[in-house]
Amino acid sequence: MNIIEIKNLTKKYNDLNAVDNLNLQIEEGEIFGLLGPNGAGKTTTLLMLTTLKQPTSGTATINNFDIIKQPDKVRKSIGIVFQDPSSDEILTGYENLKLHGWLYDMPDDLREQRIKEVLELVDLTDRKDDRVKKYSGGMRRRLELARGLMHHPKVLFLDEPTLGLDPQSRDVIWKYIEKLAKEKNMTIIITTHYMDEADKLCNRLAIIDHGKIVVLGTPKELKKAIGGDIIRLKAENLDSEVFKNLKYVKKVSKCDSEVCLTVEDGNKHLQEILKVAGKVDSVEIRSPTLDDVFLHYTGRGIREGSPEGSWADKAMNVRSGK
Amino acid sequence: MSELKGIYALWYREFKVFLRERSRIVSSIVNPILWLLIIGGGLGSAVSFGDVSYQTFIYPGILIQTALFSSIFFGVYIVWDKKIDFLKEVLVAPMRRTSIFVGKIIGGSTDTLLQIIILLVIGFAFMVSGIMPDLHLNIISVLVSLAFLFVTTVGLVSIGLILGSQMESPEGFQLISSFLIFPMFFLSGALFPLDKLPQYLAPFVFVNPVTYAVDGIRGALLGISNSHFNLAFDFAIVSLFAIVMILIGTYAFKKMKI
């Protein structure tokens, strides 16, 4: 069953198509990743799906409810963890969760039980009576994640959920998210710019650029589509043109002072490539990662610039009317 | 049921935050006392209206001043909620925007009325100690005043929320709100009687809804001879003001962009 069906979803700001005729189906229980460079339209898509922004045209259904015609029912079916802090820092962690339980009309005993459960999960039980003001950035993120999970939504949206977390907390949170998807059959939509994370966790992912889906598939499929291994060569005065005649070299690009090659069966052809290259300072060969996939399809590295939604980006977005 | 719980949740948050931000409470109490003692005492040495001292005369106006500042300024919290994503957290919850507006009004009014009650207690102390002996603070006059203050506060909190729902930055909010607060205060008759206003001033004073709140409370607390209009008329105008503001506010919240 498709828990989310996106049909021709479009959002225009003046002349700019922030989201451009998006079509996508997501199955129940999937962990689905939305990847894309800054301003690609990920967050706008998320805001439309969560009924916070009205689409210019097109629509989507979540849990069989239409986001335009039945926003109330959609909201009951979803949970979301926003990119920016969204807890009240004058209240304690516990109070923030209690507030959430009330807003979602949870029965009292269930609410208290879930608060206990999620607090333990994110390891904040000891700090629950401290004001959020005194939390570190990571703790705050964990609290907000706990809050998004608390009412066990059918679909959970996570907008850059582990931004600012240390590797240890990231691991803990991802383990729980995987568990939730499996046990509760919860569908999880994440935007992230941690490619290793997307690779490890997502069943499927879509790379979005300029409001359109550039490519869609499982991490494995996407990496395979690159068509070979990545070889990086570092040398002085290396002419990248010389590799273009080799038929097993799929792609040649220059990154800084290095030359990057996408090579079919890289291990086999390394010897010949080195012969063509002549004297090199260093050489690196590896299997493609999602970073390479990303670069391949968007022409940009995902880590260039800060993740979407930092204050500087927001300021820019406000000015350009986005 | 679910809507009521949500409204309660929003009120609970505002109330907790209010109790924890002590500096807000302190300044909201200290300011009016300074007005009473300095403006009231200073001008009062030369001026008096009707059968009461100037200090006593402006006491109802000072109550309203507190309501004005605290209520309208409450709208800035919406702007702050926008800046962090807390507003989104509330808007994405399965409750109606009208309920969110109602929860905010109740929260803001509670804050303001608590400050007013403290001022009433201070007024009582001034009355008993002989600083303002002409004040008539008794159960009935206090209840009538509170009724006026409650309805006015609801209207003013709505103004603050309407403004907050449209503004992007706290600085912008502050600028626009002071353009509203100061004329509303100075044109309310809080500091002067309404009987012999110059012609250029009278229209501005009489279109200001706050004028009727000050007049009503003055009638209740200083004796009926000190009010310009009939108290029922005053109350009707103030109620109308509150209703109109609630309607506009509900609309503004429905249209609010994030």
Side-chain angles (χ1 to χ4, degrees):
Chain A
M1 183 199 133
N2 287 334
I3 191 122
I4 300 183
E5 298 229 15
I6 304 177
K7 297 165 211 149
N8 301 321
L9 195 68
T10 302
K11 181 76 185 177
K12 284 186 184 170
Y13 295 104
N14 301 322
D15 288 338
L16 183 89
N17 288 336
V19 176
D20 193 358
N21 258 305
L22 201 70
N23 284 289
L24 187 62
Q25 286 85 37
I26 294 167
E27 271 177 51
E28 188 160 18
E30 256 192 297
I31 302 182
F32 190 92
L34 281 176
L35 311 180
N38 298 341
K42 291 170 297 181
T43 298
T44 309
T45 306
L46 231 59
L47 289 178
M48 285 193 283
L49 290 178
T50 52
T51 76
L52 287 173
K53 265 199 166 97
Q54 195 79 11
T56 311
S57 64
T59 188
T61 58
I62 294 182
N63 199 19
N64 285 324
F65 300 120
D66 190 290
I67 55 164
I68 298 168
K69 290 183 201 125
Q70 300 157 293
D72 290 351
K73 290 195 170 126
V74 170
R75 284 188 221 152
K76 276 208 171 105
S77 318
I78 60 171
I80 177 164
V81 178
F82 296 101
Q83 212 173 72
D84 292 330
S86 62
S87 44
D88 191 317
E89 46 176 38
I90 294 169
L91 300 182
T92 67
Y94 171 76
E95 284 166 342
N96 268 293
L97 295 178
K98 190 158 81 171
L99 211 63
H100 186 84
W102 280 332
L103 288 173
Y104 282 78
D105 195 25
M106 292 168 74
D108 294 358
D109 40 349
L110 180 70
R111 184 190 68 228
E112 292 305 313
Q113 179 208 322
R114 290 272 175 82
I115 289 179
K116 224 177 137 214
E117 204 178 291
V118 293
L119 277 173
E120 255 160 49
L121 170 84
V122 297
D123 225 358
L124 285 175
T125 310
D126 298 344
R127 301 291 303 270
K128 73 184 169 78
D129 293 322
D130 285 348
R131 292 189 195 176
V132 174
K133 201 182 271 182
K134 291 183 187 151
Y135 284 18
S136 69
M139 288 166 70
R140 205 166 162 169
R141 213 94 247 284
R142 268 145 60 199
L143 176 73
E144 284 167 19
L145 203 60
R147 192 178 61 181
L149 299 169
M150 203 179 120
H151 59 288
H152 286 184
K154 295 282 283 178
V155 181
L156 181 63
F157 293 93
L158 306 171
D159 200 359
E160 299 279 359
T162 54
L163 199 63
L165 292 193
D166 57 88
Q168 222 171 353
S169 326
R170 271 172 65 192
D171 273 359
V172 172
I173 280 166
W174 283 117
K175 258 180 207 139
Y176 186 69
I177 287 174
E178 272 184 319
K179 202 172 118 196
L180 271 177
K182 217 172 269 168
E183 283 175 13
K184 316 263 179 205
N185 210 20
M186 199 182 277
T187 312
I188 295 166
I189 317 293
I190 62 165
T191 71
T192 180
H193 74 292
Y194 293 118
M195 287 297 172
D196 53 334
E197 199 164 78
D199 196 357
K200 216 174 90 198
L201 271 147
C202 298
N203 307 115
R204 281 197 307 153
L205 39 93
I207 292 180
I208 299 190
D209 201 14
H210 302 300
K212 284 188 170 133
I213 293 180
V214 181
V215 64
L216 173 75
T218 66
K220 219 174 163 179
E221 283 166 5
L222 294 183
K223 283 184 289 185
K224 221 171 152 188
I226 290 270
D229 300 307
I230 310 291
I231 297 178
R232 277 173 94 106
L233 298 168
K234 193 174 178 184
E236 271 172 55
N237 307 321
L238 185 58
D239 182 13
S240 58
E241 294 298 315
V242 298
F243 301 107
K244 289 197 171 153
N245 299 323
L246 304 170
K247 67 174 190 306
Y248 45 80
V249 175
K250 296 284 168 201
K251 200 180 164 205
V252 182
S253 56
K254 237 183 144 85
C255 14
D256 304 324
S257 63
E258 299 171 30
V259 174
C260 288
L261 307 173
T262 307
V263 182
E264 217 175 285
D265 276 327
N267 292 322
K268 206 171 116 193
H269 296 115
L270 183 60
Q271 190 97 54
E272 291 166 52
I273 285 173
L274 286 176
K275 207 180 279 170
V276 174
K279 190 171 175 281
V280 294
D281 296 334
S282 73
V283 63
E284 181 199 340
I285 178 163
R286 58 181 170 79
S287 320
T289 62
L290 278 183
D291 281 301
D292 302 311
V293 176
F294 194 89
L295 191 70
H296 180 78
Y297 285 105
T298 65
R300 287 169 269 185
I302 190 136
R303 284 176 216 278
E304 277 168 26
S306 54
E308 184 180 324
S310 77
W311 68 269
D313 290 328
K314 281 221 166 135
M316 299 287 285
N317 285 348
V318 167
R319 287 209 186 138
S320 58
K322 248 167 69 180
Chain B
M1 182 57 203
S2 76
E3 299 292 320
L4 282 181
K5 227 185 222 177
I7 291 172
Y8 176 73
L10 292 174
W11 173 83
Y12 172 89
R13 178 203 177 210
E14 301 303 348
F15 190 59
K16 282 269 163 167
V17 170
F18 175 73
L19 291 184
R20 285 176 192 172
E21 289 205 309
R22 301 253 162 72
S23 59
R24 230 170 105 199
I25 311 181
V26 172
S27 76
S28 73
I29 303 303
V30 171
N31 253 343
I33 296 177
L34 292 180
W35 267 85
L36 279 178
L37 293 180
I38 298 172
I39 306 278
L43 270 179
S45 62
V47 188
S48 80
F49 299 120
D51 47 10
V52 296
S53 74
Y54 186 66
Q55 216 164 27
T56 314
F57 179 82
I58 64 167
Y59 178 70
I62 297 305
L63 291 179
I64 282 292
Q65 184 196 41
T66 305
L68 250 173
F69 278 80
S70 157
S71 301
I72 292 187
F73 190 70
F74 179 76
V76 84
Y77 291 99
I78 287 264
V79 185
W80 280 114
D81 285 356
K82 253 189 229 175
K83 284 220 134 184
I84 60 170
D85 270 343
F86 189 85
L87 189 65
K88 280 191 204 152
E89 149 79 2
V90 174
L91 293 180
V92 85
M95 76 189 276
R96 278 200 294 255
R97 290 223 174 164
T98 310
S99 309
I100 297 173
F101 184 66
V102 171
K104 283 272 179 192
I105 288 194
I106 300 176
S109 305
T110 309
D111 293 3
T112 301
L113 288 176
L114 281 176
Q115 294 168 30
I116 297 270
I117 286 170
I118 299 173
L119 285 184
L120 284 170
V121 172
I122 292 168
F124 187 77
F126 280 13
M127 176 179 94
V128 176
S129 62
I131 300 175
M132 298 194 292
D134 311 323
L135 218 51
H136 302 304
L137 280 174
N138 55 48
I139 291 179
I140 293 172
S141 70
V142 166
L143 285 181
V144 172
S145 307
L146 281 177
F148 268 99
L149 286 160
F150 174 71
V151 177
T152 313
T153 297
V154 167
L156 295 171
V157 171
S158 302
I159 292 186
L161 292 174
I162 293 165
L163 218 57
S165 70
Q166 307 302 314
M167 303 295 295
E168 295 284 337
S169 74
E171 294 82 5
F173 181 92
Q174 233 136 8
L175 203 71
I176 303 284
S177 67
S178 39
F179 267 123
L180 267 175
I181 291 173
F182 285 100
M184 279 178 106
F185 173 62
F186 287 115
L187 292 172
S188 69
L191 304 176
F192 48 74
L194 303 175
D195 301 331
K196 289 173 219 151
L197 291 177
Q199 239 170 8
Y200 68 89
L201 198 57
F204 294 105
V205 172
F206 289 123
V207 295
N208 181 4
V210 179
T211 303
Y212 303 89
V214 174
D215 193 57
I217 299 166
R218 200 166 271 155
L221 293 185
L222 309 187
I224 209 74
S225 62
N226 287 292
S227 72
H228 186 78
F229 297 106
N230 181 315
L231 253 60
F233 176 75
D234 282 332
F235 197 75
I237 297 275
V238 173
S239 306
L240 185 70
F241 159 69
I243 290 167
V244 170
M245 288 306 145
I246 290 174
L247 291 179
I248 298 175
T250 314
Y251 178 78
F253 258 56
K254 277 193 184 143
K255 294 281 157 208
M256 174 165 47
K257 293 212 177 90
I258 46 138

